[in-house]
Amino acid sequence: VSNKARSNLAPRSVNKTVTVLKLILKHAQIWGYINENPARFVVRPRETRKEMEHLDPREINKLLEAASPGYYPLLATAVMTGARQGELLALRWCDVDLKRGVIFIRRSYRPGFGFTEPKTKYGNRTVVISKELVKILEEHKWQCVSKSDDLIFHNREGNPINHANLISREFHPALERAGLRRIRFHDLRHTYVALMISLGENIKFIQRQLGHNSLTTTMDTYE
């Protein structure tokens, strides 16, 4: 832990390493390779809680107005659902029920790994969407050329959008065009939560929308 800390690794990253190490040694103890877990009493570095980056309603409008037409539906869906980037890039039209106003999160996309199922059962969820987003997706669907994989958001060849291209060629330029500070794409998830909280939405509802495995996770992250 000391060596990692001296290498300027963030406390959160150090703690993730400690968690994995403790788990490995725990199983080594269970299987009889060692008598005690030497990492059992390791003190974790204290994490400094960072202020969540998010856009306010005025900034959201500026971002969406600055977005390229082809990426506007994707950014609008990110802001209005809180879905993760991989979940958005994996969405198919069969995962959306526009009449009911819901999106079913059933998988995720990661470059190099392809399409995968959500990590937990809570990640596999139904997200309620607004009438405004329903309208945006209806218009997007009407303009889309049918592709074999039925992806909602895809490149010109109908394949999943490249993560690096999405950030460098569209997201960051859109922020610049809008005159906004540079944030991470994941901060659009925080933006959604901030928007829901400002509207007085129930924290339990927000938890289900985000796919957190417990209310504690949501509370610890956003309150």
Side-chain angles (χ1 to χ4, degrees), residues 15-221:
N15 286 337
K16 287 181 178 179
T17 304
V18 171
T19 297
V20 175
L21 180 60
K22 284 188 174 184
L23 186 61
I24 291 172
L25 294 172
K26 175 183 176 182
H27 283 286
Q29 185 179 11
I30 292 172
W31 295 332
Y33 291 111
I34 56 177
N35 294 323
E36 293 184 8
N37 183 344
R40 181 182 175 188
F41 298 110
V42 169
V43 178
R44 298 171 186 268
R46 185 172 182 177
E47 296 181 24
T48 302
R49 185 170 180 175
K50 294 183 179 179
E51 192 71 26
M52 291 290 178
E53 281 278 6
H54 67 272
L55 303 178
D56 61 34
R58 179 184 60 84
E59 293 172 325
I60 292 172
N61 289 331
K62 291 180 69 174
L63 172 64
L64 296 181
E65 287 172 1
S68 301
Y71 285 93
Y72 172 80
L74 172 58
L75 296 182
T77 304
V79 170
M80 297 183 191
T81 63
R84 300 174 179 89
Q85 184 188 67
E87 295 170 342
L88 293 166
L89 299 183
L91 281 177
R92 300 160 294 182
W93 288 114
C94 62
D95 298 322
V96 179
D97 188 333
L98 295 177
K99 290 184 178 180
R100 290 173 54 197
V102 295
I103 289 177
F104 303 101
I105 304 294
R106 294 168 170 147
R107 61 180 192 166
S108 184
Y109 176 77
R110 291 175 60 197
F113 294 88
F115 297 104
T116 59
E117 293 184 357
K119 293 181 180 180
T120 69
K121 64 178 182 179
Y122 299 96
N124 196 323
R125 64 196 187 278
T126 301
V127 177
V128 179
I129 61 177
S130 65
K131 292 181 180 179
E132 182 181 359
L133 182 55
V134 167
K135 184 178 180 180
I136 291 171
L137 291 176
E138 283 177 340
E139 293 178 356
H140 178 56
K141 186 175 185 179
W142 182 78
Q143 295 172 358
C144 274
V145 178
S146 179
K147 299 293 181 179
S148 58
D149 197 37
D150 199 34
L151 288 172
I152 296 178
F153 309 115
H154 54 76
N155 60 21
R156 294 179 180 178
E157 291 72 37
N159 299 317
I161 296 172
N162 180 277
H163 163 78
N165 290 344
L166 169 61
I167 302 303
S168 64
R169 297 181 184 178
E170 176 53 34
F171 184 55
H172 285 164
L175 289 169
E176 187 174 343
R177 289 193 297 269
L180 300 173
R181 65 194 178 282
R182 180 170 289 194
I183 61 173
R184 303 170 305 162
F185 191 93
H186 191 75
D187 291 325
L188 297 183
R189 181 170 166 88
H190 302 325
T191 295
Y192 168 78
V193 176
L195 189 60
M196 290 295 99
I197 292 175
S198 70
L199 294 173
E201 192 55 73
N202 183 280
I203 193 70
K204 186 67 177 177
F205 173 79
I206 296 174
Q207 176 209 337
R208 292 195 298 266
Q209 291 282 97
L210 295 177
H212 284 162
N213 60 2
S214 71
L215 188 59
T216 302
T217 301
T218 309
M219 298 281 282
D220 288 347
T221 304

